[in-house]
Amino acid sequence: MFRKILVANRGEIAVRVIRTCREMGIRTVAVYSDADRGALHVRMADEAVHLGPAPSRESYLRIDRLIDAAKATGAEAIHPGYGFLSEQAPFVEACDAAGITFIGPRPEAISAMGDKTGARQRMIQAGVPVVPGMDEPESDVNRAREFARSIGFPVMIKAAAGGGGRGMRKVESEEEFDASFAAAQREALAAFGDDRVYVEKFLDKPRHVEIQVFADAHGNCIHLFERECSVQRRHQKVIEESPSPILDEDLRRRMGEVAVRAARAVNYLGAGTCEFLVDANKNFYFLEMNTRLQVEHPVTELRCGVDLVRWQIEVAAGKPLPLSQDEVRAQGHAIEARINAEDPAKNFMPSPGKITYLRLPGGPGTRIDSGVYPGYTVPMAYDSMIAKLIVWAPTREQAIQRLQRALSEFVVKGITTNIGYLKRIVAHPEFLSGDYDTTFLARRAEELRAATNGELARVALVASAVYQYQLDKNRARKLELAAQGAAAARSRWAEMGRLRALGRAGGVR
Ligand code: MV4
């Protein structure tokens, strides 16, 4: 087993990885930028190496500095977390060249899944259902329009190098096609430096359901069921839950099998996630594979009772998976809510700054993965997620009650957060019904933006109580002053006599 691991990340995920390393008796090396000198992951690691200035290009994305840091500290392996270099094949190759174990898939698997049309072809060959569409990018607008007409409008134009919704265009009709095609090419070029696009059938109000997969170096590949991630805002997940309210046992088993087939098709190693769109008729289509540990992995950890980071480390060290497919047991219901330093009232603008007060929820079935502490200054250089709240309970209803309870305990002062917004989402009838899709947050934006009547009623109640309290206090103070004045006018002797008289009468004192 590794004796020392370098964690090439920051924030809650760096803390998350360090925690498992400590449990496994593995020493940790944190890395940090100028903006992260006081960060929690630096405090929690055994050692820390400075990388450079705050911008990630000059710190967390510097392959050379990370490799140097691992060599200088004697770390045998690097955990990339998510984001940053976690899905960069050149980083894995640099680790290979330096004799350092990259805790993740091989570079070939990352590259194969990174190219969206290439991945579609491989998936079709492997018998994995994909959204009906082109197998290859098309640069000729006439051929692209003809293809769109052949599959029928509406269609979706997507970037070949894309993912995450950037460079994506819905086209309603043939008349709009040419302008949208050109716009999609421009967006793709701007976002990915690659203007190749392709055309797919548009799916109306799909749900986003993903399957956690895990493969070892001994030919074992299993899945750990699904996560429902349809509660998204501008392609950012906000709430994730498992099980998905729409999956039945048969669909769950079929999607799991397909996800394992997808992973096997690229010789996958370690933790990965296959994303699917599920349409209103419960047809499912492979969308893309994320070749990393995901933000929402704790949902699977709580539902399946496993430590996925431990699994990643063991598999990277050459050990076999600890469970076979039949041994994976899912129990109860898990939900995650992402706590962001952002202001829902100001179009979700980032709200960095100093956390002057922090009270984290706790209690039964309540987990917090966080990278912040009271007195910490949230820097503006990185993404705004400061914590994840994950709950587990035997049923969805109880998990929602628990999440509502935990959100009500959460207090963050000094910066603005989305906690109020999260409370409104998890109290919304559409979320409660479980019958929601990827358009939920956009369709309900107006209802979710303002404080609800219930919230305002509580604010009004507190305000009136405070007002009444102050009135009472003023009145009491006036009476006290009047009594003091009267007392001063009396002689000390007379006052003592009055008190003695009160005492005999069974009054005060
Ligand atoms: C789609 C789609 C409808 N039809 N593809 C958005 C992110 C990118 N990975 C794929 N996405 C979509 N692709 C077809 N053919 C609708 C979406 C989509 C979406 C998907 C997953 C989660 C949230 C979403 C929000 C809006 C649109």
Side-chain angles (χ1 to χ4, degrees), residues 133-344:
M134 293 176 174
D135 308 349
E136 274 179 74
E138 178 59 75
S139 58
D140 182 87
V141 68
N142 294 315
R143 281 204 291 270
R145 192 189 329 99
E146 196 42 51
F147 181 88
R149 206 155 66 116
S150 74
I151 59 169
F153 286 92
V155 298
M156 197 73 123
I157 307 177
K158 292 185 176 183
R166 289 196 300 172
M168 199 174 77
R169 281 272 166 144
K170 179 186 179 185
V171 190
E172 302 278 2
S173 68
E174 197 167 347
E175 291 71 53
E176 291 171 32
F177 189 84
D178 293 19
S180 294
F181 189 78
Q185 285 180 318
R186 271 198 312 276
E187 278 173 30
L189 184 65
F192 309 106
D194 181 344
D195 72 351
R196 291 174 309 144
V197 297
Y198 67 103
V199 177
E200 268 182 17
K201 183 86 191 133
F202 175 80
L203 300 179
D204 193 33
K205 296 187 175 179
R207 294 181 71 122
H208 173 133
V209 180
E210 58 187 32
I211 306 283
Q212 177 71 55
V213 296
F214 229 107
D216 65 20
H218 303 273
N220 303 303
C221 185
I222 65 171
H223 70 84
L224 295 107
F225 305 108
E226 80 281 10
R227 293 184 291 258
E228 165 70 64
C229 305
S230 297
V231 183
Q232 304 201 2
R233 191 188 157 271
R234 296 176 186 256
H235 304 301
Q236 291 289 326
K237 292 167 189 161
V238 179
I239 309 262
E240 305 98 344
E241 62 177 317
S242 188
S244 165
I246 50 149
L247 260 58
D248 55 44
E249 275 314 308
D250 178 60
L251 186 54
R252 178 170 294 117
R253 186 185 44 75
R254 285 188 290 128
M255 288 181 73
E257 282 172 12
V258 163
V260 167
R261 212 180 303 150
R264 285 193 183 281
V266 294
N267 289 317
Y268 203 74
L269 178 67
T273 297
C274 293
E275 291 187 4
F276 295 92
L277 292 182
V278 182
D279 70 16
N281 300 320
K282 302 204 179 173
N283 298 305
F284 66 93
Y285 308 94
F286 174 90
L287 203 56
E288 53 195 76
M289 182 172 187
N290 299 314
T291 54
R292 59 165 191 275
L293 187 71
Q294 290 198 244
V295 174
E296 59 272 25
H297 76 275
V299 169
T300 299
E301 293 189 319
L302 293 193
R303 183 160 177 237
C304 296
V306 298
D307 177 344
L308 293 178
V309 173
R310 177 183 278 265
W311 284 27
Q312 284 188 296
I313 294 167
E314 287 175 350
V315 158
K319 294 193 179 182
L321 283 174
L323 298 180
S324 68
Q325 188 66 67
D326 291 343
E327 289 168 336
V328 179
R329 287 275 175 276
Q331 252 201 55
H333 201 97
I335 315 180
E336 173 178 277
R338 300 189 186 192
I339 316 297
N340 297 331
E342 66 188 14
D343 190 349

Side-chain angles (χ1 to χ4, degrees), residues 22-93:
R22 175 130 316 147
E23 290 178 15
M24 295 176 77
I26 298 169
R27 294 180 60 80
T28 52
V29 181
V31 291
Y32 62 96
S33 69
D34 285 349
D36 278 337
R37 286 181 191 281
L40 191 58
H41 72 285
V42 175
R43 294 186 177 190
M44 286 181 66
D46 295 300
E47 293 171 68
V49 178
H50 179 246
L51 289 175
S56 40
R57 288 249 152 259
E58 300 174 67
S59 49
Y60 297 105
L61 292 172
R62 283 290 296 262
I63 293 176
D64 54 342
R65 298 233 169 121
L66 288 161
I67 300 290
D68 285 350
K71 283 183 180 164
T73 55
E76 304 124 302
I78 296 185
H79 194 300
Y82 51 69
F84 295 128
L85 293 168
S86 61
E87 296 183 275
Q88 294 297 317
F91 182 49
V92 186
E93 284 155 5

Side-chain angles (χ1 to χ4, degrees), residues 352-373:
K354 185 167 174 168
I355 296 175
T356 55
Y357 180 87
L358 183 66
R359 188 178 68 190
L360 298 176
T366 305
R367 167 174 167 181
I368 294 279
D369 279 19
S370 161
V372 304
Y373 56 85

